[in-house]
Amino acid sequence: MVNKNTTLSNLIARAEAGGGPERIQKQHESGKLTARERLEAFLDPGSFVEIDKLRRGVGDEIPGDGVVTGHGLVEGRQVFVYAQDFTVQGGSVSAAHAAKICKVMDLATTTGSPIIGLADSGGARIQGGVESLAGYADIFLRNVLASGVVPQITCIMGPCAGGAVYSPAITDFVWMVRGNSYMFVTGPDVVKAVTHEDISKEDLGGARTHSEISGVAHFSSVDDSACLEQVRTLLSFLPANNAEDAPTLDMDDDPGRSCDGLAKMIPSDPSKPYDMKSVIRSAVDHANFFEVHEAYARNIVCGFARMAGRSVGIVANQPTHLAGCLDSAASMKAARFVRFCDCFNIPLITLVDVPGFLPGVDQERGGIIRHGAKLLYAFAEATVPKVTVVIRKAYGGAYDVMASKHIRADLNFAFPTAEIAVMGPDAAANVVHRREIAESKNPEETRRLFAKEYREKHANPFDAASLGYIDDVIQPEELRIRLVSALAMLRDKRQSNPPRKHGNIPL
Ligand code: HXC
């Protein structure tokens, strides 16, 4: 009679050996960790509990079916994970493989825990037929239903092509490993056949392309270990689910600390740029700012930080890129970030220095009206605590959009250097004094004088403060203390939107 324990240990050994030493060696040679090594690097030591280790697809030799699934801890907090194993049939997705992923997604949702997917797969199991496609759709549905319930993160650590890209695309944050991962709906061969464009996998869908140009990836990392470490850091800022608050840490950074030197960072000449990230760092706990989408749409900065130990989401215009104008990409980037924070009870701090929306034929034809509306919609709809500080410029429609009082920011501050007006002084002079400028002997000088007059009269925070649109004009040194006290005051804020199935954000 066969000893069942021997059978069990044989099955476990087969499952843990993955695709065997040769394929594991190949995986290592290409600079990649195996699925199990990745989970070991990612989770707190010894915390991984595997589920479905012995599950097999029809006719599969190796138990596990090319994906390792289960749960474990990150800094002591529960997360669910799946890691596709490229050494087993290229990590391809069969019905059983997909069912394993769905099982941990269901457990993540019902227990209110984040789900982290490590993708490394040749796509639908070619022998699996339509069952593989059904399996993908089962995953997509769960991604959609878990959206806004638990944080979902995907790390692309190998191939991810065809319809497989749509699961990561629905998740909240996508990581890519530089040089070893790619994502595309149709690969270089199909592109060549259809459009006659010659392009490499890397240029079409590598980490650089997606983190800088398409915006599909929020982060890119130098290798697997760096990627997994960064995901752990991101998780530290997030609650486990939409019913909880993010953990509050003891940061040991004086909440009453003055932001010395901040005033000097902001040039008095409004046409001179400065790095908004320095402003952020001077205010947040220990200057620790975890930026999201760092390389994409750099005219707006989004990321997480802590104020007096509590997680906050920060959105800020960046004067060093496109003078901090809002364009389509920046609006979409920030809108998605704002909605993430709102889903997960993370208060929003908005730092404003925006000359307006970016003018241009490309922008108009590309739908800046619709895309800009997304950011307006996201800020207006958000019910988390919202604190806004106008650092310098806040002009035109962009003033309204950037978490103004009118779209339900709770507290709006401005520095004395703020300029809040319908449009920039030069543009205003051109419109209001067009005739005088045209008829003048020295149009440039006339325009300059009218612009100066407009700036002195309107480009300040005091009109807005006199109307209650700005709650207080504060000194730059006070930035941290005023933000900390505003967030403390708003800690128990409760606000809800009118009952409805869901709004219709202009997608
Ligand atoms: C079954 C697969 C597989 C797949 C790879 N393998 N992809 N087996 N189904 N989709 C197997 C290979 O046969 C090989 O097995 C092992 O995995 C490693 O693959 P290699 O080709 O040796 O690796 P590499 O050279 O690194 O190339 C990786 C690759 C290539 C670029 C991903 O394998 C590839 O092109 N695969 C097919 C991709 C594809 O067309 N997928 C279906 C797309 S359609 P052995 O035994 O030799 O080690 C799709 C639809 C999704 O995904 C729809 C969702 C809605």
Side-chain angles (χ1 to χ4, degrees):
M1 193 171 142
V2 184
N3 179 329
K4 287 188 183 155
N5 274 330
T6 313
T7 311
L8 177 62
S9 13
N10 286 343
L11 285 170
I12 290 173
R14 296 275 333 249
E16 290 184 352
E22 270 175 37
R23 290 194 183 88
I24 289 176
Q25 193 187 341
K26 202 171 155 197
Q27 180 88 350
H28 287 159
E29 278 166 5
S30 58
K32 301 199 288 185
L33 299 175
T34 64
R36 286 177 191 282
E37 288 165 346
R38 284 169 177 162
L39 291 178
E40 206 176 296
F42 176 55
L43 296 166
D44 291 353
S47 70
F48 180 54
V49 179
E50 192 167 352
I51 296 175
D52 271 343
K53 190 182 220 166
L54 305 185
R55 186 152 187 169
R56 274 197 246 216
V58 181
D60 275 350
E61 283 172 31
I62 303 173
D65 205 2
V67 62
V68 184
T69 59
H71 57 96
L73 303 176
V74 171
E75 299 293 342
R77 299 162 73 211
Q78 177 167 283
V79 296
F80 282 81
V81 285
Y82 70 86
Q84 293 179 311
D85 185 349
F86 192 78
T87 69
V88 178
Q89 306 204 54
S92 57
V93 175
S94 67
H97 178 123
K100 283 183 66 171
I101 295 176
C102 289
K103 191 185 275 187
V104 282
M105 291 180 81
D106 288 343
L107 283 166
T109 312
T110 52
T111 61
S113 319
I115 173 93
I116 293 93
L118 311 182
D120 189 359
S121 165
R125 177 89 42 91
I126 290 164
Q127 308 86 323
V130 75
E131 273 194 296
S132 296
L133 301 185
Y136 270 114
D138 291 339
I139 297 170
F140 300 159
L141 174 69
R142 280 161 179 80
N143 285 133
V144 172
L145 297 180
S147 180
V149 179
V150 294
Q152 302 184 81
I153 295 169
T154 318
C155 304
I156 312 295
M157 307 179 111
C160 182
V165 297
Y166 288 113
S167 170
I170 299 167
T171 61
D172 300 303
F173 296 105
V174 176
W175 251 270
M176 292 188 75
V177 177
R178 293 199 277 276
N180 257 339
S181 68
Y182 50 89
M183 295 177 84
F184 33 68
V185 173
T186 50
D189 295 346
V190 178
V191 168
K192 176 131 204 225
V194 175
T195 67
H196 310 292
E197 290 161 299
D198 240 324
I199 188 154
S200 67
K201 276 200 290 207
E202 187 62 29
D203 284 346
L204 186 61
R208 189 169 166 269
T209 296
H210 285 311
S211 55
E212 291 180 22
I213 303 169
S214 76
V216 167
H218 302 81
F219 303 93
S220 77
S221 311
V222 64
D223 60 20
D224 286 7
S225 304
C227 167
L228 298 166
E229 194 51 48
Q230 287 162 0
V231 178
R232 287 176 64 92
T233 306
L234 172 64
L235 285 168
S236 74
F237 289 99
L238 312 184
N241 57 63
N242 63 346
E244 290 182 9
D245 286 335
T248 302
L249 305 187
D250 183 3
M251 294 301 286
D252 195 24
D253 186 0
D254 181 7
R257 172 171 59 75
S258 155
C259 295
D260 296 330
L262 177 49
K264 281 201 208 105
M265 284 178 205
I266 303 158
S268 52
D269 178 349
S271 65
K272 289 233 165 73
Y274 59 93
D275 185 1
M276 184 61 92
K277 290 186 217 174
S278 311
V279 176
I280 296 171
R281 288 196 195 99
S282 75
V284 302
D285 290 356
H286 292 300
N288 183 0
F289 180 53
F290 188 80
E291 195 174 351
V292 173
H293 259 150
E294 183 178 358
Y296 177 69
R298 289 188 290 164
N299 40 329
I300 204 154
V301 175
C302 300
F304 298 101
R306 291 188 183 85
M307 294 298 285
R310 194 176 170 212
S311 281
V312 290
I314 297 179
V315 178
N317 309 109
Q318 174 56 290
T320 57
H321 290 273
L322 299 174
C325 275
L326 283 175
D327 62 356
S328 295
S331 302
M332 284 190 273
K333 161 177 162 177
R336 188 150 170 82
F337 181 76
V338 167
R339 294 193 107 211
F340 176 84
C341 292
D342 191 43
C343 286
F344 291 105
N345 315 315
I346 299 173
L348 283 161
I349 293 174
T350 306
L351 304 179
V352 183
D353 191 345
V354 63
F357 282 95
L358 184 68
V361 176
D362 283 355
Q363 288 295 316
E364 296 294 341
R365 290 189 177 168
I368 192 169
I369 296 174
R370 193 171 72 251
H371 302 311
K374 289 174 185 163
L375 183 54
L376 165 65
Y377 191 113
F379 271 129
E381 156 190 70
T383 56
V384 287
K386 294 184 283 193
V387 184
T388 303
V389 186
V390 181
I391 306 286
R392 203 168 58 171
K393 296 172 212 165
Y395 282 114
Y399 155 72
D400 278 348
V401 168
M402 289 299 295
S404 63
K405 179 65 87 193
H406 325 287
I407 56 171
R408 292 202 301 183
D410 299 293
L411 278 175
N412 295 68
F413 299 127
F415 285 177
T417 43
E419 303 177 3
I420 305 173
V422 173
M423 58 173 75
D426 288 329
N430 280 338
V431 175
V432 180
H433 301 287
R434 185 183 314 168
R435 192 169 312 129
E436 291 103 308
I437 292 169
E439 288 168 0
S440 142
K441 284 194 186 121
N442 187 343
E444 262 321 302
E445 180 58 11
T446 310
R447 180 184 297 108
R448 203 186 59 76
L449 289 173
F450 279 126
K452 184 164 174 277
E453 183 187 302
Y454 181 92
R455 180 181 304 286
E456 280 161 8
K457 209 161 160 194
H458 298 291
N460 60 60
F462 308 116
D463 287 358
S466 72
L467 293 163
Y469 303 161
I470 290 294
D471 297 296
D472 200 1
V473 179
I474 64 171
Q475 295 300 328
E477 303 77 58
E478 295 178 277
L479 180 61
R480 176 172 166 82
I481 191 166
R482 296 302 294 265
L483 287 172
V484 169
S485 101
L487 292 167
M489 181 274 280
L490 292 164
R491 182 143 200 150
D492 295 324
K493 177 186 175 187
R494 288 288 174 271
Q495 186 172 46
S496 53
N497 292 326
R500 53 186 163 183
K501 189 171 173 190
H502 57 71
N504 189 14
I505 190 166
L507 291 174

